[in-house]
Amino acid sequence: MRNFKFMKLMGLVLVLFTVVLAGCSRNSGMVDDGQKPDDSRFTPVVLAQDLDEPNTFAVMNNGNVVISERKGDIKLYDAALDTTTLVAHINVNTKYTSAEGVVREAEEGLLGLILDPDFDTNHWIYIYYAHPTEKKHILTRWEMVDGKLVDNSEKVLLEVTTQREVCCHTGGGMTWDKDGNLFLTVGNNTGNALSAHTDERPGRASWDDQAHAANTNDLRGKILRIHPEDDGTYTIPKGNLFPEGTEKTRPEIYTMGHRNAWRVSVDSKTGYVYWGEVGPDASVDSEIGPRGYDELNQARGPGNFGWPFFVGPNAAFPYFDYEKDVPLEKKDPNNYTNTSVNNTGLELLPPVAKPFIYYPYGPSEEFPLVGSGSRSATGGPIYHRADFKDDAKRPFPSYYEGKWLATDLSRGWIMAITMKENGDYESMERFLPSYHPVEPIDMKFGPEGDLYVLEYGSTWFAKSHNSQLVKIEYNAGNRTPIAEASVEKNGGPVPFTTKLSAEGSRDLDGDELKYEWKVTDEAGASVQTFTEANPSVTFDKEGVFTATLTVTDPSGESSSKSVKIISGNTAPEITFDVLGNKTFFFPGKPFNYQVNLSDAEDGSLADGKITPDHVSVSIQYVSEGFDWAEVIQNQRSVNMSAGLNVAQALMAKNNCTSCHNLDQVSIGPALVKISEKYKNTPSEWERLNNKIRNGGTGVWGEAVMPANPGVSANDASTILNYIMHVTDETSKSLPVKGTFNAVVPDGDNGRGSYILQAGYTDKGAGTAPAQAVESIVRLRNPLVPAGDADDIQGGEMSDNGRGGKVIKPLNGTSVGFKGLDLTNIKSLQIAGSATQRENNAGATIEAHLGSPTGALIGQTTIALFIAPPRGQMPTMEQALQDAGGNKAAAEKAIAAAMAAARAANTAPPVVINLDQALTGPQDIYFVFKNAEAGATQPLMTLNGVEFKQE
């Protein structure tokens, strides 16, 4: 229906009718079989942009969206007009003022909004914000008519007393249950510390969360549940944590013990409450408290979630005596008290509820898929088809029935979380991993079944260029075709002819496509058009031209892609050539390389007309997990800066851009400012390298820099080197020809890659502008993970619990890896095992070239490995006795016993020796056979294949 406005303006009633029919059929062509749908059926559509710190939104039944912005603006996205307008500005407080009078911008402001369930008839909208002059947050109700707030319609329902001395945590998430009860998250409004928030010293009440989150008589650090009434007041529904009238309690409290409960949702089927909660910043366990955890939580009823005494897996903080500066006892989550001088509520607190999902800065053993690095658990909705009308246009498929779709603002993923019948956690998986939202701060379903995501943007406490509202549409029927455009030559002396190519364009439904190419000049004027897939085009004047390919399917759905052509200047040709094996590096072994460059106008490296100092060359090691595709997609193609995009890709992966911009202050300082401060003091670089990995605070303000323990020391060094030289006009370059020793950096597991890059920008020609080119080569570790296989026939692929994949082949399964250089490769070591615990049968493994039935180049067998019974490990007491009291000898004996046990429980290596010398890139297939295995019995677990030179 994207062409609706155009057709309406044209008044083509017949065409409109046709498009409506086509639109209705898009989600009616596929039977819902309950299986996971292909990601290509989900399309993120950008709705509103140019937003200024957006934080919450609400979708109307007509598809319009109301958006709140922290500084006080409320905006309306009009779905029919595709426009965003200002509804109103509410005066709000956005500052904290310390006891010393220092004013800081922080989380205060317009905190959230929600529409009344009967908004279409009563026009009520609820807004939660920081009062502009008084120290309180207020929940108010307004009338909103014709896209504007009605003057003097504000009614104050609820007030939350706050302090404005120190940041942080404001909450502001709201949702309704089926009985018309309103849930509101309220942040703890307490200063941050790595130790327990139990500062009872005089004048330090703002740092004592025993006065807020753990106070049964205070609304801060809570999730509230109230029932708004028509007269602008509210009543207390039955079933909250404390019955109305209970002394020293607030009856509005549904759950307590929260640090920063954020976006909240209610499961319409079970009534369970779900939310994201941002935890403290400690990166390691210590005597003053456990490491920090964020939580994605579930409440099956009213309860206490333990903050500030417990976090994550109910890890306990010792009560911290700030007068004596010592940690004291830990509390019992099933029986503990709040005896703070600042507590106005009950002393005996309810027992702490069990956590649902929790994860630290580092990798999570319990929930490995969440990743590592910066964290900021947001939350999201639970999907039920019954929540939408029968004629909803794009409801999600039944695969997502009952799943919780939750996101993390810093990590940018969306997880589909599955619960068991009793509500317990069962599993999680990434939802639409190709979509990378920038700081997703709110997420919910709209009335037509679409999932809306509000992206705060990359700059904190300021307007971001990439703030936006996105709608993810599910398409069960006809899918939009995909356009791919390329050009044979993107430049040359006039007149010159080149060929345009639509190769790679495709329709995922198999429909025949129509092709149209439009060539335009710099002013946008059309120069030539073609209606074939791969036309030839001739240019007879200099200039910059754009060739745009549009592919259209029989239903009228279309997509476009463009290529740039510079007429009058031939693009340089550059290659980064590696002598020897061109796929793998071998740790500790050198390789020879040479950059070849020629340009029709400038000359070449070979003839000396282009000198090496005009060519940028870099070779960089990146650790395991680095996304090679990010470098390809973000080629800078700028002379003297090859290699910088490796650092930029590392920063994007590890969420550095959540806190740092190039030249603008965000949560953290601008990169150029860091460079200016430390560039000429290399003695500080090791400390900065450690800070990237371990986090810190206090240099640029009070904001805590989160730890990134998942970043290797080498990758941290790459990031730091980029930051230190971010203001350089040129960068240091390697020779255009040489030998490089492929050494694995200290502390790295060696499973990373080397990225080889060479870049050059020519001098232009006549009036035609310069052309820039870059050549990028990846040399990968010779151990290729099973999850990197290009072609798998049969068997099962599953997670290995560490972020990777394994393959469990059946009899006849084939696993293919394409385009691997087998030059100097003499053997293939199979990384995997066949064990009794996995009910494996063992296998014969054959290696074939080209296809599963191609030339056989080697084979081996993997037998069922039966580990010997575990013997009892010697105790220290026994070892000391055997060693005659020598502690060092006893420890050595225990270490030797442990090593022997590991060796006994390790299967022997499985190696395929190649029976012929091979060269160049090859497709290699592994075929697994065991005719005696059951039809569904896995033969083994394949972790990967190592390509060896011996």
Side-chain angles (χ1 to χ4, degrees):
M1 297 299 291
R2 284 186 280 272
N3 293 325
F4 175 79
K5 288 188 292 179
F6 171 75
M7 296 171 183
K8 183 177 180 182
L9 291 171
M10 295 294 291
L12 300 180
V13 177
L14 179 59
V15 177
L16 175 59
F17 178 71
T18 303
V19 174
V20 168
L21 288 181
C24 291
S25 66
R26 289 187 66 189
N27 280 347
S28 59
M30 189 178 79
V31 176
D32 189 343
D33 58 4
Q35 299 299 306
K36 183 178 180 179
D38 188 84
D39 283 353
S40 66
R41 294 196 172 277
F42 294 95
T43 304
V45 179
V46 176
L47 303 181
Q49 294 180 299
D50 194 35
L51 303 173
D52 187 355
E53 292 195 72
N55 51 13
T56 67
F57 69 94
V59 186
M60 299 180 179
N61 286 328
N62 62 4
N64 292 349
V65 185
V66 188
I67 305 167
S68 64
E69 295 180 338
R70 187 185 67 88
K71 297 185 184 75
D73 281 357
I74 297 175
K75 293 180 177 175
L76 178 67
Y77 171 75
D78 189 303
L81 299 177
D82 193 25
T83 58
T84 304
T85 57
L86 181 67
V87 173
H89 175 81
I90 293 179
N91 292 325
V92 297
N93 173 67
T94 64
K95 305 286 195 295
Y96 291 89
T97 304
S98 70
E100 297 75 27
V102 178
V103 179
R104 290 184 174 89
E105 191 81 15
E107 296 179 8
E108 293 272 299
L110 201 169
L111 306 174
L113 57 75
I114 193 169
L115 301 176
D116 191 273
D118 295 321
F119 175 82
D120 288 347
T121 56
N122 61 29
H123 310 296
W124 291 340
I125 180 172
Y126 297 82
I127 303 172
Y128 185 58
Y129 65 93
H131 192 279
T133 58
E134 301 176 31
K135 295 179 182 179
K136 60 185 179 182
H137 295 166
I138 56 177
L139 176 64
T140 65
R141 190 190 77 192
W142 299 68
E143 290 184 39
M144 179 175 162
V145 179
D146 296 331
K148 299 293 181 183
L149 295 187
V150 176
D151 291 340
N152 301 316
S153 66
E154 182 181 26
K155 291 183 179 294
V156 177
L157 277 77
L158 177 72
E159 296 186 354
V160 179
T161 301
T162 63
Q163 58 81 21
R164 291 180 178 173
E165 178 183 7
V166 61
C167 181
C168 280
H169 309 145
T170 53
M174 288 183 275
T175 193
W176 300 95
D177 67 12
K178 62 182 179 181
D179 297 321
N181 298 316
L182 177 64
F183 290 78
L184 168 67
T185 64
V186 181
N188 67 341
N189 186 225
T190 307
N192 293 311
L194 295 181
S195 57
H197 294 51
T198 54
D199 196 341
E200 299 183 33
R201 292 173 294 176
R204 298 287 294 178
S206 296
W207 283 263
D208 183 10
D209 227 351
Q210 298 169 109
H212 302 171
N215 186 346
T216 62
N217 203 27
D218 193 288
L219 297 182
R220 289 170 289 185
K222 312 294 192 298
I223 298 178
L224 311 181
R225 185 178 70 143
I226 62 175
H227 190 88
E229 302 295 341
D230 291 349
D231 62 359
T233 63
Y234 66 88
T235 54
I236 304 298
K238 291 184 179 180
N240 280 358
L241 185 57
F242 304 109
E244 198 166 2
T246 303
E247 187 179 0
K248 293 186 178 182
T249 66
R250 290 292 299 264
E252 298 91 345
I253 298 172
Y254 187 73
T255 58
M256 64 176 290
H258 301 297
R259 183 175 184 268
N260 192 19
W262 218 358
R263 304 300 173 235
V264 61
S265 298
V266 175
D267 187 323
S268 63
K269 180 179 179 181
T270 65
Y272 296 167
V273 180
Y274 293 85
W275 69 95
E277 182 149 351
V278 183
D281 296 311
S283 58
V284 295
D285 296 330
S286 69
E287 65 172 2
I288 64 173
R291 59 181 174 171
Y293 294 85
D294 275 24
E295 301 174 25
L296 292 168
N297 255 329
Q298 174 200 74
R300 303 183 187 183
N304 176 19
F305 285 80
W307 183 259
F309 303 108
F310 305 93
V311 70
N314 284 347
F317 281 91
Y319 175 86
F320 196 86
D321 188 331
Y322 283 85
E323 289 282 0
K324 299 178 180 179
D325 197 31
V326 293
L328 301 177
E329 79 287 347
K330 297 178 181 179
K331 294 182 181 289
D332 178 356
N334 296 312
N335 183 18
Y336 72 104
T337 58
N338 178 0
T339 59
S340 170
V341 297
N342 299 307
N343 179 29
T344 62
L346 299 175
E347 186 173 295
L348 180 64
L349 299 182
V352 179
K354 293 182 179 179
F356 193 60
I357 295 170
Y358 48 89
Y359 50 96
Y361 284 133
S364 168
E365 294 182 5
E366 296 85 357
F367 310 100
L369 201 60
V370 298
S372 62
S374 297
R375 50 181 166 79
S376 191
T378 305
I382 298 87
Y383 178 77
H384 287 295
R385 178 61 180 87
D387 293 340
F388 308 92
K389 294 181 178 179
D390 291 343
D391 60 352
K393 294 179 181 177
R394 291 172 295 272
F396 272 35
S398 61
Y399 177 81
Y400 291 100
E401 179 64 27
K403 288 181 169 59
W404 181 20
L405 293 165
T407 187
D408 181 296
L409 178 137
S410 292
R411 299 188 179 182
W413 42 246
I414 300 174
M415 294 291 177
I417 301 168
T418 302
M419 283 74 76
K420 298 177 182 178
E421 282 294 324
N422 66 354
D424 288 350
Y425 171 85
E426 181 170 301
S427 64
M428 69 170 67
E429 63 185 40
R430 287 286 299 273
F431 169 77
L432 198 61
S434 59
Y435 168 53
H436 302 285
V438 180
E439 308 267 325
I441 197 168
D442 197 10
M443 183 171 72
K444 59 196 66 170
F445 282 103
E448 298 296 346
D450 305 313
L451 182 66
Y452 289 74
V453 183
L454 185 61
E455 301 181 22
Y456 176 86
S458 56
T459 304
W460 274 78
F461 306 131
K463 185 175 182 178
S464 300
H465 70 280
N466 47 7
S467 299
Q468 58 185 14
L469 177 67
V470 173
K471 176 177 66 172
I472 300 176
E473 298 179 347
Y474 173 66
N475 177 9
N478 181 58
R479 284 172 280 185
T480 301
I482 299 171
E484 296 291 353
S486 60
V487 61
E488 182 181 44
K489 295 186 297 180
N490 68 347
V494 295
F496 91 97
T497 299
T498 189
K499 191 169 186 178
L500 305 174
S501 173
E503 183 177 356
S505 298
R506 56 201 181 277
D507 186 273
L508 297 172
D509 301 307
D511 296 331
E512 185 176 352
L513 295 175
K514 293 182 179 179
Y515 300 86
E516 181 186 65
W517 284 94
K518 181 180 288 187
V519 181
T520 57
D521 60 19
E522 288 184 275
S526 179
V527 177
Q528 300 181 66
T529 57
F530 305 92
T531 56
E532 55 188 290
N534 307 304
S536 294
V537 56
T538 299
F539 298 88
D540 56 10
K541 64 177 182 178
E542 295 180 347
V544 179
F545 297 86
T546 300
T548 301
L549 169 68
T550 299
V551 294
T552 307
D553 71 9
S555 298
E557 290 293 323
S558 65
S559 67
S560 300
K561 201 159 191 179
S562 300
V563 293
K564 185 172 76 171
I565 300 167
I566 299 179
S567 176
N569 182 15
T570 304
E573 295 182 0
I574 188 170
T575 60
F576 202 130
D577 294 331
V578 177
L579 308 181
N581 194 291
K582 303 181 191 308
T583 295
F584 305 112
F585 79 89
F586 299 91
K589 295 184 179 180
F591 61 85
N592 298 319
Y593 71 89
Q594 179 172 337
V595 176
N596 296 303
L597 171 66
S598 64
D599 182 83
E601 293 83 14
D602 297 357
S604 67
L605 283 170
D607 64 18
K609 292 183 180 180
I610 298 177
T611 57
D613 60 308
H614 285 87
V615 184
S616 178
V617 180
S618 73
I619 300 177
Q620 292 179 286
Y621 180 86
V622 292
S623 298
E624 182 182 23
F626 179 78
D627 189 354
W628 155 249
E630 287 289 330
V631 176
I632 298 298
Q633 294 166 4
N634 296 298
Q635 289 189 38
R636 292 167 60 96
S637 297
V638 178
N639 190 31
M640 304 310 291
S641 60
L644 296 186
N645 47 0
V646 171
Q648 291 169 334
L650 285 168
M651 293 177 72
K653 173 190 174 185
N654 291 288
N655 308 305
C656 300
T657 52
S658 297
C659 299
H660 298 281
N661 291 319
L662 177 62
D663 55 6
Q664 186 179 5
V665 175
S666 182
I667 295 178
L671 299 183
V672 295
K673 293 297 182 182
I674 300 174
S675 177
E676 291 170 1
K677 184 178 180 71
Y678 296 112
K679 179 178 178 179
N680 296 317
T681 55
S683 60
E684 288 284 310
W685 291 5
E686 182 176 355
R687 181 183 67 82
L688 295 174
N689 188 303
N690 291 331
K691 190 171 182 179
I692 290 173
R693 304 178 68 204
N694 301 323
T697 187
V699 178
W700 300 88
E702 294 184 355
V704 175
M705 176 178 176
N708 290 279
V711 177
S712 69
N714 174 77
D715 287 354
S717 179
T718 300
I719 292 171
L720 181 63
N721 182 66
Y722 163 69
I723 295 172
M724 291 301 98
H725 298 284
V726 73
T727 58
D728 293 0
E729 294 184 5
T730 60
S731 58
K732 293 182 180 179
S733 179
L734 293 174
V736 295
K737 180 179 180 181
T739 299
F740 189 89
N741 191 19
V743 176
V744 175
D746 291 341
D748 194 273
N749 63 14
R751 296 174 187 163
S753 300
Y754 270 100
I755 306 297
L756 291 57
Q757 297 175 267
Y760 175 72
T761 300
D762 71 13
K763 300 173 184 177
T767 60
Q771 293 252 43
V773 293
E774 190 170 40
S775 176
I776 304 178
V777 174
R778 174 198 183 195
L779 296 181
R780 66 188 299 174
N781 183 277
L783 177 59
V784 181
D788 286 0
D790 299 292
D791 187 4
I792 304 171
Q793 301 296 327
E796 175 190 349
M797 179 177 283
S798 60
D799 294 325
N800 65 5
R802 299 181 299 276
K805 300 286 187 180
V806 298
I807 297 172
K808 299 181 179 181
L810 306 175
N811 180 38
T813 292
S814 65
V815 178
F817 299 89
K818 296 184 178 181
L820 301 182
D821 190 350
L822 298 185
T823 301
N824 299 326
I825 299 300
K826 296 181 180 179
S827 65
L828 310 169
Q829 182 165 324
I830 305 300
S833 61
T835 65
Q836 284 182 316
R837 186 179 66 178
E838 296 290 331
N839 189 34
N840 297 144
T844 296
I845 308 173
E846 300 176 346
H848 296 259
L849 283 184
S851 73
T853 58
L856 180 66
I857 58 174
Q859 64 181 339
T860 190
T861 59
I862 180 169
L864 186 66
F865 177 68
I866 302 175
R870 287 191 175 185
Q872 186 170 351
M873 298 298 296
T875 64
M876 177 57 74
E877 183 179 0
Q878 292 171 329
L880 280 171
Q881 185 176 355
D882 294 341
N886 187 319
K887 184 178 180 181
E891 291 175 343
K892 186 176 181 180
I894 291 176
M898 293 176 67
R902 284 194 298 269
N905 283 275
T906 301
V910 178
V911 177
I912 299 176
N913 293 307
L914 301 185
D915 56 17
Q916 57 183 286
L918 300 166
T919 59
Q922 305 281 350
D923 296 344
I924 184 167
Y925 283 80
F926 297 89
V927 179
F928 300 81
K929 296 181 178 180
N930 186 339
E932 296 179 0
T936 60
Q937 184 180 14
L939 307 187
M940 61 171 295
T941 297
L942 177 68
N943 297 308
V945 180
E946 185 173 0
F947 293 73
K948 308 191 75 163
Q949 291 185 314
E950 67 274 341

